PDB file of all heavy atoms in Angstrom:
ATOM      1  N   GLY A   9      -2.173  22.218  -3.628  1.00 98.00           N
ATOM      2  CA  GLY A   9      -3.322  23.121  -3.734  1.00 98.00           C
ATOM      3  C   GLY A   9      -4.329  22.858  -2.623  1.00 98.00           C
ATOM      4  O   GLY A   9      -4.868  21.746  -2.527  1.00 98.00           O
ATOM      5  N   GLY A  11      -7.315  24.326  -2.182  1.00 98.00           N
ATOM      6  CA  GLY A  11      -8.675  24.772  -2.485  1.00 98.00           C
ATOM      7  C   GLY A  11      -9.620  23.658  -2.035  1.00 98.00           C
ATOM      8  O   GLY A  11      -9.191  22.661  -1.435  1.00 98.00           O
ATOM      9  N   ILE A  12     -10.904  23.803  -2.358  1.00 98.00           N
ATOM     10  CA  ILE A  12     -11.872  22.817  -1.878  1.00 98.00           C
ATOM     11  C   ILE A  12     -11.603  21.433  -2.495  1.00 98.00           C
ATOM     12  O   ILE A  12     -11.822  20.402  -1.830  1.00 98.00           O
ATOM     13  CB  ILE A  12     -13.337  23.303  -2.105  1.00 98.00           C
ATOM     14  CG1 ILE A  12     -14.339  22.428  -1.358  1.00 98.00           C
ATOM     15  CG2 ILE A  12     -13.697  23.379  -3.585  1.00 98.00           C
ATOM     16  CD1 ILE A  12     -14.243  22.471   0.128  1.00 98.00           C
ATOM     17  N   ALA A  13     -11.072  21.378  -3.722  1.00 98.00           N
ATOM     18  CA  ALA A  13     -10.789  20.077  -4.351  1.00 98.00           C
ATOM     19  C   ALA A  13      -9.666  19.355  -3.601  1.00 98.00           C
ATOM     20  O   ALA A  13      -9.810  18.186  -3.216  1.00 98.00           O
ATOM     21  CB  ALA A  13     -10.405  20.275  -5.819  1.00 98.00           C
ATOM     22  N   TYR A  31       0.271  20.998   0.188  1.00 98.00           N
ATOM     23  CA  TYR A  31       1.158  22.142  -0.050  1.00 98.00           C
ATOM     24  C   TYR A  31       0.363  23.245  -0.737  1.00 98.00           C
ATOM     25  O   TYR A  31      -0.253  23.019  -1.782  1.00 98.00           O
ATOM     26  CB  TYR A  31       2.351  21.721  -0.919  1.00 98.00           C
ATOM     27  CG  TYR A  31       3.140  20.617  -0.259  1.00 98.00           C
ATOM     28  CD1 TYR A  31       2.977  19.285  -0.674  1.00 98.00           C
ATOM     29  CD2 TYR A  31       3.999  20.871   0.796  1.00 98.00           C
ATOM     30  CE1 TYR A  31       3.666  18.255  -0.052  1.00 98.00           C
ATOM     31  CE2 TYR A  31       4.697  19.844   1.432  1.00 98.00           C
ATOM     32  CZ  TYR A  31       4.523  18.544   1.003  1.00 98.00           C
ATOM     33  OH  TYR A  31       5.190  17.530   1.633  1.00 98.00           O
ATOM     34  N   GLU A  32       0.367  24.428  -0.150  1.00 98.00           N
ATOM     35  CA  GLU A  32      -0.447  25.541  -0.658  1.00 98.00           C
ATOM     36  C   GLU A  32       0.450  26.760  -0.889  1.00 98.00           C
ATOM     37  O   GLU A  32       1.218  27.153  -0.008  1.00 98.00           O
ATOM     38  CB  GLU A  32      -1.574  25.858   0.340  1.00 98.00           C
ATOM     39  CG  GLU A  32      -2.295  27.178   0.128  1.00 98.00           C
ATOM     40  CD  GLU A  32      -2.932  27.346  -1.251  1.00 98.00           C
ATOM     41  OE1 GLU A  32      -3.603  26.429  -1.727  1.00 98.00           O
ATOM     42  OE2 GLU A  32      -2.717  28.426  -1.870  1.00 98.00           O
ATOM     43  N   ALA A  33       0.309  27.362  -2.065  1.00 98.00           N
ATOM     44  CA  ALA A  33       1.150  28.516  -2.412  1.00 98.00           C
ATOM     45  C   ALA A  33       0.798  29.755  -1.588  1.00 98.00           C
ATOM     46  O   ALA A  33       1.678  30.526  -1.197  1.00 98.00           O
ATOM     47  CB  ALA A  33       0.982  28.828  -3.902  1.00 98.00           C
ATOM     48  N   GLY A  39      -8.480  28.917  -1.628  1.00 98.00           N
ATOM     49  CA  GLY A  39      -8.415  29.325  -3.038  1.00 98.00           C
ATOM     50  C   GLY A  39      -9.598  30.201  -3.418  1.00 98.00           C
ATOM     51  O   GLY A  39      -9.822  31.257  -2.806  1.00 98.00           O
ATOM     52  N   ARG A  40     -10.391  29.727  -4.375  1.00 98.00           N
ATOM     53  CA  ARG A  40     -11.540  30.517  -4.840  1.00 98.00           C
ATOM     54  C   ARG A  40     -12.767  30.367  -3.936  1.00 98.00           C
ATOM     55  O   ARG A  40     -13.838  30.878  -4.234  1.00 98.00           O
ATOM     56  CB  ARG A  40     -11.878  30.131  -6.285  1.00 98.00           C
ATOM     57  CG  ARG A  40     -10.948  30.777  -7.291  1.00 98.00           C
ATOM     58  CD  ARG A  40     -11.158  30.211  -8.678  1.00 98.00           C
ATOM     59  NE  ARG A  40     -10.502  28.934  -8.835  1.00 98.00           N
ATOM     60  CZ  ARG A  40     -10.878  27.981  -9.674  1.00 98.00           C
ATOM     61  NH1 ARG A  40     -11.923  28.179 -10.438  1.00 98.00           N
ATOM     62  NH2 ARG A  40     -10.207  26.846  -9.761  1.00 98.00           N
ATOM     63  N   GLY A  54     -14.751  34.661  -3.739  1.00 96.00           N
ATOM     64  CA  GLY A  54     -15.096  33.908  -4.950  1.00 96.00           C
ATOM     65  C   GLY A  54     -16.490  33.351  -4.778  1.00 96.00           C
ATOM     66  O   GLY A  54     -17.469  34.078  -4.882  1.00 96.00           O
ATOM     67  N   ALA A  55     -16.561  32.026  -4.466  1.00 97.00           N
ATOM     68  CA  ALA A  55     -17.867  31.367  -4.321  1.00 97.00           C
ATOM     69  C   ALA A  55     -18.732  32.111  -3.312  1.00 97.00           C
ATOM     70  O   ALA A  55     -18.265  32.522  -2.249  1.00 97.00           O
ATOM     71  CB  ALA A  55     -17.664  29.927  -3.891  1.00 97.00           C
ATOM     72  N   GLN A  56     -20.013  32.273  -3.676  1.00 94.00           N
ATOM     73  CA  GLN A  56     -20.957  33.045  -2.870  1.00 94.00           C
ATOM     74  C   GLN A  56     -22.021  32.158  -2.225  1.00 94.00           C
ATOM     75  O   GLN A  56     -22.492  32.442  -1.152  1.00 94.00           O
ATOM     76  CB  GLN A  56     -21.693  34.062  -3.756  1.00 94.00           C
ATOM     77  CG  GLN A  56     -20.799  34.900  -4.637  1.00 94.00           C
ATOM     78  CD  GLN A  56     -20.087  35.961  -3.844  1.00 94.00           C
ATOM     79  OE1 GLN A  56     -20.703  36.607  -3.027  1.00 94.00           O
ATOM     80  NE2 GLN A  56     -18.789  36.105  -4.049  1.00 94.00           N
ATOM     81  N   PHE A  57     -22.446  31.123  -2.983  1.00 94.00           N
ATOM     82  CA  PHE A  57     -23.585  30.323  -2.551  1.00 94.00           C
ATOM     83  C   PHE A  57     -23.326  28.836  -2.711  1.00 94.00           C
ATOM     84  O   PHE A  57     -22.550  28.429  -3.584  1.00 94.00           O
ATOM     85  CB  PHE A  57     -24.813  30.644  -3.419  1.00 94.00           C
ATOM     86  CG  PHE A  57     -25.468  31.940  -3.056  1.00 94.00           C
ATOM     87  CD1 PHE A  57     -25.318  33.053  -3.855  1.00 94.00           C
ATOM     88  CD2 PHE A  57     -26.238  32.022  -1.911  1.00 94.00           C
ATOM     89  CE1 PHE A  57     -25.921  34.253  -3.516  1.00 94.00           C
ATOM     90  CE2 PHE A  57     -26.853  33.218  -1.559  1.00 94.00           C
ATOM     91  CZ  PHE A  57     -26.697  34.342  -2.368  1.00 94.00           C
ATOM     92  N   TYR A  62     -26.185  20.168  -3.438  1.00 96.00           N
ATOM     93  CA  TYR A  62     -24.775  19.788  -3.625  1.00 96.00           C
ATOM     94  C   TYR A  62     -24.524  18.424  -2.956  1.00 96.00           C
ATOM     95  O   TYR A  62     -24.526  18.311  -1.726  1.00 96.00           O
ATOM     96  CB  TYR A  62     -23.852  20.860  -3.031  1.00 96.00           C
ATOM     97  CG  TYR A  62     -23.586  22.052  -3.941  1.00 96.00           C
ATOM     98  CD1 TYR A  62     -24.150  22.146  -5.204  1.00 96.00           C
ATOM     99  CD2 TYR A  62     -22.751  23.088  -3.525  1.00 96.00           C
ATOM    100  CE1 TYR A  62     -23.900  23.240  -6.022  1.00 96.00           C
ATOM    101  CE2 TYR A  62     -22.489  24.188  -4.346  1.00 96.00           C
ATOM    102  CZ  TYR A  62     -23.072  24.254  -5.588  1.00 96.00           C
ATOM    103  OH  TYR A  62     -22.815  25.331  -6.401  1.00 96.00           O
ATOM    104  N   PRO A 223       4.666  27.418  -2.621  1.00 98.00           N
ATOM    105  CA  PRO A 223       4.336  27.196  -4.041  1.00 98.00           C
ATOM    106  C   PRO A 223       5.195  26.070  -4.624  1.00 98.00           C
ATOM    107  O   PRO A 223       6.420  26.125  -4.535  1.00 98.00           O
ATOM    108  CB  PRO A 223       4.688  28.546  -4.684  1.00 98.00           C
ATOM    109  CG  PRO A 223       5.651  29.197  -3.746  1.00 98.00           C
ATOM    110  CD  PRO A 223       5.376  28.671  -2.373  1.00 98.00           C
ATOM    111  N   ILE A 224       4.540  25.083  -5.171  1.00 98.00           N
ATOM    112  CA  ILE A 224       5.287  23.977  -5.792  1.00 98.00           C
ATOM    113  C   ILE A 224       5.702  24.432  -7.191  1.00 98.00           C
ATOM    114  O   ILE A 224       4.891  24.941  -7.967  1.00 98.00           O
ATOM    115  CB  ILE A 224       4.411  22.698  -5.844  1.00 98.00           C
ATOM    116  CG1 ILE A 224       3.998  22.266  -4.424  1.00 98.00           C
ATOM    117  CG2 ILE A 224       5.110  21.580  -6.594  1.00 98.00           C
ATOM    118  CD1 ILE A 224       5.138  21.947  -3.462  1.00 98.00           C
ATOM    119  N   ALA A 252      -4.133  19.485  -7.405  1.00 98.00           N
ATOM    120  CA  ALA A 252      -5.444  20.143  -7.267  1.00 98.00           C
ATOM    121  C   ALA A 252      -5.301  21.649  -7.447  1.00 98.00           C
ATOM    122  O   ALA A 252      -5.885  22.445  -6.710  1.00 98.00           O
ATOM    123  CB  ALA A 252      -6.061  19.794  -5.921  1.00 98.00           C
ATOM    124  N   THR A 253      -4.505  22.031  -8.430  1.00 98.00           N
ATOM    125  CA  THR A 253      -4.330  23.452  -8.768  1.00 98.00           C
ATOM    126  C   THR A 253      -5.088  23.713 -10.077  1.00 98.00           C
ATOM    127  O   THR A 253      -5.372  22.779 -10.824  1.00 98.00           O
ATOM    128  CB  THR A 253      -2.838  23.768  -8.975  1.00 98.00           C
ATOM    129  OG1 THR A 253      -2.272  22.787  -9.847  1.00 98.00           O
ATOM    130  CG2 THR A 253      -2.074  23.746  -7.661  1.00 98.00           C
ATOM    131  N   THR A 257      -1.729  26.060 -13.830  1.00 97.00           N
ATOM    132  CA  THR A 257      -0.588  25.716 -12.965  1.00 97.00           C
ATOM    133  C   THR A 257      -0.231  24.240 -13.128  1.00 97.00           C
ATOM    134  O   THR A 257       0.954  23.878 -13.244  1.00 97.00           O
ATOM    135  CB  THR A 257      -0.934  25.973 -11.475  1.00 97.00           C
ATOM    136  OG1 THR A 257      -1.475  27.263 -11.363  1.00 97.00           O
ATOM    137  CG2 THR A 257       0.268  25.835 -10.590  1.00 97.00           C
ATOM    138  N   GLU A 384     -13.233  30.858 -13.675  1.00 98.00           N
ATOM    139  CA  GLU A 384     -13.938  29.578 -13.837  1.00 98.00           C
ATOM    140  C   GLU A 384     -13.484  28.904 -15.136  1.00 98.00           C
ATOM    141  O   GLU A 384     -13.303  29.578 -16.158  1.00 98.00           O
ATOM    142  CB  GLU A 384     -15.449  29.824 -13.959  1.00 98.00           C
ATOM    143  CG  GLU A 384     -16.020  30.656 -12.854  1.00 98.00           C
ATOM    144  CD  GLU A 384     -16.854  29.855 -11.896  1.00 98.00           C
ATOM    145  OE1 GLU A 384     -16.816  28.610 -11.947  1.00 98.00           O
ATOM    146  OE2 GLU A 384     -17.549  30.489 -11.097  1.00 98.00           O
ATOM    147  N   GLY A 412      -9.740  19.279  -9.359  1.00 98.00           N
ATOM    148  CA  GLY A 412     -10.003  20.720  -9.486  1.00 98.00           C
ATOM    149  C   GLY A 412     -11.203  20.917 -10.384  1.00 98.00           C
ATOM    150  O   GLY A 412     -11.617  19.996 -11.092  1.00 98.00           O
ATOM    151  N   ASP A 413     -11.770  22.127 -10.377  1.00 97.00           N
ATOM    152  CA  ASP A 413     -13.044  22.309 -11.076  1.00 97.00           C
ATOM    153  C   ASP A 413     -12.935  22.181 -12.594  1.00 97.00           C
ATOM    154  O   ASP A 413     -13.943  21.964 -13.262  1.00 97.00           O
ATOM    155  CB  ASP A 413     -13.748  23.609 -10.648  1.00 97.00           C
ATOM    156  CG  ASP A 413     -12.965  24.874 -10.948  1.00 97.00           C
ATOM    157  OD1 ASP A 413     -11.808  24.771 -11.403  1.00 97.00           O
ATOM    158  OD2 ASP A 413     -13.528  25.966 -10.718  1.00 97.00           O
ATOM    159  N   HIS A 419     -18.140  24.627 -10.307  1.00 97.00           N
ATOM    160  CA  HIS A 419     -18.645  25.102  -9.013  1.00 97.00           C
ATOM    161  C   HIS A 419     -18.008  24.284  -7.887  1.00 97.00           C
ATOM    162  O   HIS A 419     -17.381  23.253  -8.129  1.00 97.00           O
ATOM    163  CB  HIS A 419     -20.172  25.108  -8.961  1.00 97.00           C
ATOM    164  CG  HIS A 419     -20.844  23.793  -9.237  1.00 97.00           C
ATOM    165  ND1 HIS A 419     -20.691  22.688  -8.430  1.00 97.00           N
ATOM    166  CD2 HIS A 419     -21.676  23.403 -10.236  1.00 97.00           C
ATOM    167  CE1 HIS A 419     -21.425  21.687  -8.910  1.00 97.00           C
ATOM    168  NE2 HIS A 419     -22.014  22.092 -10.019  1.00 97.00           N
ATOM    169  N   THR A 420     -18.187  24.769  -6.660  1.00 98.00           N
ATOM    170  CA  THR A 420     -17.484  24.181  -5.515  1.00 98.00           C
ATOM    171  C   THR A 420     -17.807  22.700  -5.317  1.00 98.00           C
ATOM    172  O   THR A 420     -16.929  21.916  -4.955  1.00 98.00           O
ATOM    173  CB  THR A 420     -17.866  24.926  -4.217  1.00 98.00           C
ATOM    174  OG1 THR A 420     -19.292  25.015  -4.157  1.00 98.00           O
ATOM    175  CG2 THR A 420     -17.276  26.320  -4.191  1.00 98.00           C
TER     176      THR A 420
HETATM  177  C1  FAD B 501     -16.139  35.166  -8.466  1.00 69.85           C
HETATM  178  C2  FAD B 501     -16.503  33.710  -8.331  1.00 69.85           C
HETATM  179  C3  FAD B 501     -17.765  33.353  -7.887  1.00 69.85           C
HETATM  180  C4  FAD B 501     -18.099  32.005  -7.725  1.00 69.85           C
HETATM  181  N1  FAD B 501     -19.333  31.686  -7.228  1.00 69.85           N
HETATM  182  C5  FAD B 501     -19.609  30.393  -6.907  1.00 69.85           C
HETATM  183  C6  FAD B 501     -20.804  30.062  -6.189  1.00 69.85           C
HETATM  184  O1  FAD B 501     -21.600  30.948  -5.828  1.00 69.85           O
HETATM  185  N2  FAD B 501     -21.027  28.761  -5.880  1.00 69.85           N
HETATM  186  C7  FAD B 501     -20.154  27.772  -6.205  1.00 69.85           C
HETATM  187  O2  FAD B 501     -20.399  26.589  -5.868  1.00 69.85           O
HETATM  188  N3  FAD B 501     -19.011  28.041  -6.890  1.00 69.85           N
HETATM  189  C8  FAD B 501     -18.701  29.328  -7.228  1.00 69.85           C
HETATM  190  N4  FAD B 501     -17.524  29.639  -7.841  1.00 69.85           N
HETATM  191  C9  FAD B 501     -16.642  28.546  -8.293  1.00 69.85           C
HETATM  192  C10 FAD B 501     -15.816  27.957  -7.149  1.00 69.85           C
HETATM  193  O3  FAD B 501     -15.283  28.982  -6.358  1.00 69.85           O
HETATM  194  C11 FAD B 501     -14.681  27.102  -7.727  1.00 69.85           C
HETATM  195  O4  FAD B 501     -15.226  26.182  -8.659  1.00 69.85           O
HETATM  196  C12 FAD B 501     -13.949  26.281  -6.663  1.00 69.85           C
HETATM  197  O5  FAD B 501     -13.700  27.032  -5.497  1.00 69.85           O
HETATM  198  C13 FAD B 501     -12.639  25.770  -7.267  1.00 69.85           C
HETATM  199  O6  FAD B 501     -11.949  24.980  -6.312  1.00 69.85           O
HETATM  200  P1  FAD B 501     -10.570  24.277  -6.697  1.00 69.85           P
HETATM  201  O7  FAD B 501     -10.102  23.594  -5.462  1.00 69.85           O
HETATM  202  O8  FAD B 501     -10.747  23.483  -7.928  1.00 69.85           O
HETATM  203  O9  FAD B 501      -9.575  25.466  -7.104  1.00 69.85           O
HETATM  204  P2  FAD B 501      -8.974  26.672  -6.258  1.00 69.85           P
HETATM  205  O10 FAD B 501      -9.962  27.144  -5.257  1.00 69.85           O
HETATM  206  O11 FAD B 501      -8.454  27.643  -7.248  1.00 69.85           O
HETATM  207  O12 FAD B 501      -7.777  25.998  -5.442  1.00 69.85           O
HETATM  208  C14 FAD B 501      -6.497  25.806  -5.992  1.00 69.85           C
HETATM  209  C15 FAD B 501      -5.462  26.119  -4.920  1.00 69.85           C
HETATM  210  O13 FAD B 501      -4.164  25.833  -5.454  1.00 69.85           O
HETATM  211  C16 FAD B 501      -3.275  26.812  -4.974  1.00 69.85           C
HETATM  212  N5  FAD B 501      -2.094  26.831  -5.868  1.00 69.85           N
HETATM  213  C17 FAD B 501      -1.977  27.384  -7.094  1.00 69.85           C
HETATM  214  N6  FAD B 501      -0.744  27.183  -7.584  1.00 69.85           N
HETATM  215  C18 FAD B 501      -0.057  26.484  -6.643  1.00 69.85           C
HETATM  216  C19 FAD B 501       1.267  25.966  -6.566  1.00 69.85           C
HETATM  217  N7  FAD B 501       2.145  26.136  -7.565  1.00 69.85           N
HETATM  218  N8  FAD B 501       1.633  25.293  -5.452  1.00 69.85           N
HETATM  219  C20 FAD B 501       0.756  25.104  -4.413  1.00 69.85           C
HETATM  220  N9  FAD B 501      -0.501  25.586  -4.451  1.00 69.85           N
HETATM  221  C21 FAD B 501      -0.911  26.251  -5.537  1.00 69.85           C
HETATM  222  C22 FAD B 501      -4.097  28.089  -5.029  1.00 69.85           C
HETATM  223  O14 FAD B 501      -3.524  29.101  -4.221  1.00 69.85           O
HETATM  224  C23 FAD B 501      -5.446  27.584  -4.512  1.00 69.85           C
HETATM  225  O15 FAD B 501      -5.542  27.684  -3.106  1.00 69.85           O
HETATM  226  C24 FAD B 501     -17.154  30.978  -8.019  1.00 69.85           C
HETATM  227  C25 FAD B 501     -15.882  31.336  -8.473  1.00 69.85           C
HETATM  228  C26 FAD B 501     -15.545  32.700  -8.619  1.00 69.85           C
HETATM  229  C27 FAD B 501     -14.155  33.053  -9.053  1.00 69.85           C
END
Side-chain angles (χ1 to χ4, degrees):
I12 192 65
Y31 301 101
E32 166 57 47
R40 281 171 281 153
Q56 311 285 316
F57 283 105
Y62 277 0
I224 300 300
T253 49
T257 311
E384 307 252 12
D413 62 354
H419 57 64
T420 50

